[in-house]
Amino acid sequence: METLNKLAGVSDVTSATTSRPKDFPEPPPIPEDDTHNRPSRASLPLNRQPSHKSFRSRRSNSNIAPSARQSQDEARHSHETGSGVSGGEGSEDFEWGPQHPCYPHSNPHCAPDSEESRRTRVIRVKRDWLASGDLYPQYANLYPEILDPWVSDTDFRLLIVALNKRLEAVFSPFTTRAWVDAVLGIVTGFLWDDAGFTGVKRGVKGIEAFVEEWNEGKRREGSDLRKTGFVSLDIVVPDPGIDVAGEDEEDEAEH
């Protein structure tokens, strides 16, 4: 067989493919799972640039109650001086803007022209698509340090862990209840689903009750997950007033 290979020139081909030239670079190592290397906190960048929302935020900031203003000053002071911050772990991974975990979004859960819309902002905890893909919702356990005056690191992580466990139990397609509901739905012509007897519908009601209980205990407002399509968890806080422009820039914008 070796003689036939030599006659056909196969041996030359195999040796050329298996041997590696001296100047040929070594292949890169196989990347390891980076789930343990992902940052666990997101801090406010000190060199952030003011956005177009800064001017509206500055105008509405003058009408905020003194108690809320005190919390905002404490939050702004802690982030500017670096007190109570874990050294900015992972802060270089996020560019300041709407995609930043600490970015205060406008409150979409109230009327745009209402007083609540002017005085409140939303800190958005995004869905972690790397955890389970699109099988069931899971939220990122990444603590936005802007929540420090209202929600502590420990309370935030307990909320995310408990919420993720409930979401997995309700929406996972591999549970026995999910298979039973699927079979009963087919047998009854999906009347079982329309009647609201599935585990998902009952589980969603339990999750809503859990979020409502958390809101009452922490005196915070976590939005209804169904309103955001389970894509994000919106935590409503007073306008922190951190993304504000300077006096000169505001005058230029008004003129």
Side-chain angles (χ1 to χ4, degrees):
M1 191 67 177
E2 184 178 357
T3 305
L4 295 176
N5 290 337
K6 289 183 178 180
L7 292 175
V10 177
S11 60
D12 297 336
V13 176
T14 55
S15 61
T17 55
T18 56
S19 62
R20 182 183 302 275
K22 295 181 179 180
D23 57 346
F24 195 83
E26 292 292 332
I30 300 176
E32 299 179 355
D33 186 10
D34 61 346
T35 54
H36 300 288
N37 299 327
R38 296 164 62 185
S40 61
R41 297 170 68 95
S43 59
L44 287 168
L46 299 179
N47 59 344
R48 61 185 182 273
Q49 297 296 327
S51 67
H52 295 291
K53 294 183 179 180
S54 301
F55 309 112
R56 293 195 297 269
S57 176
R58 191 175 184 85
R59 294 192 189 98
S60 62
N61 209 21
S62 60
N63 298 326
I64 299 177
S67 58
R69 184 183 298 276
Q70 182 179 2
S71 299
Q72 295 172 8
D73 295 338
E74 292 175 357
R76 184 162 51 245
H77 175 73
S78 62
H79 291 301
E80 289 178 354
T81 59
S83 60
V85 180
S86 63
E89 177 186 359
S91 59
E92 299 295 335
D93 298 337
F94 305 101
E95 182 179 358
W96 180 249
Q99 299 299 324
H100 196 281
C102 294
Y103 191 85
H105 299 265
S106 299
N107 189 354
H109 307 288
C110 59
D113 56 347
S114 63
E115 186 68 20
E116 181 182 1
S117 177
R118 290 188 291 270
R119 293 190 175 186
T120 59
R121 292 294 181 266
V122 163
I123 304 302
R124 190 157 288 163
V125 181
K126 296 184 178 180
R127 178 170 171 174
D128 187 1
W129 295 94
L130 298 179
S132 59
D134 57 354
L135 291 178
Y136 48 85
Q138 293 285 276
Y139 294 110
N141 198 353
L142 179 66
Y143 177 64
E145 292 183 352
I146 192 176
L147 292 176
D148 186 53
W150 306 286
V151 181
S152 65
D153 189 334
T154 303
D155 292 337
F156 175 83
R157 299 193 189 280
L158 290 175
L159 169 66
I160 296 300
V161 170
L163 196 57
N164 284 343
K165 288 183 178 180
R166 285 172 168 80
L167 289 170
E168 180 180 2
V170 171
F171 289 102
S172 177
F174 304 116
T175 60
T176 304
R177 180 60 188 270
W179 285 95
V180 171
D181 289 337
V183 173
L184 292 176
I186 295 175
V187 172
T188 61
F190 298 103
L191 293 177
W192 180 262
D193 302 64
D194 296 338
F197 296 146
T198 60
V200 172
K201 292 187 177 181
R202 293 186 177 182
V204 168
K205 294 180 179 179
I207 292 175
E208 292 176 350
F210 169 76
V211 174
E212 185 64 27
E213 182 180 356
W214 184 85
N215 291 339
E216 295 178 356
K218 300 299 178 184
R219 295 182 179 178
R220 288 290 111 211
E221 182 180 347
S223 65
D224 187 355
L225 299 180
R226 289 192 298 177
K227 293 181 179 179
T228 60
F230 294 92
V231 176
S232 65
L233 170 64
D234 292 352
I235 301 179
V236 181
V237 298
D239 184 6
I242 58 170
D243 189 20
V244 293
E247 298 286 348
D248 298 337
E249 296 181 18
E250 181 179 0
D251 295 338
E252 293 176 4
E254 290 179 353
H255 295 297

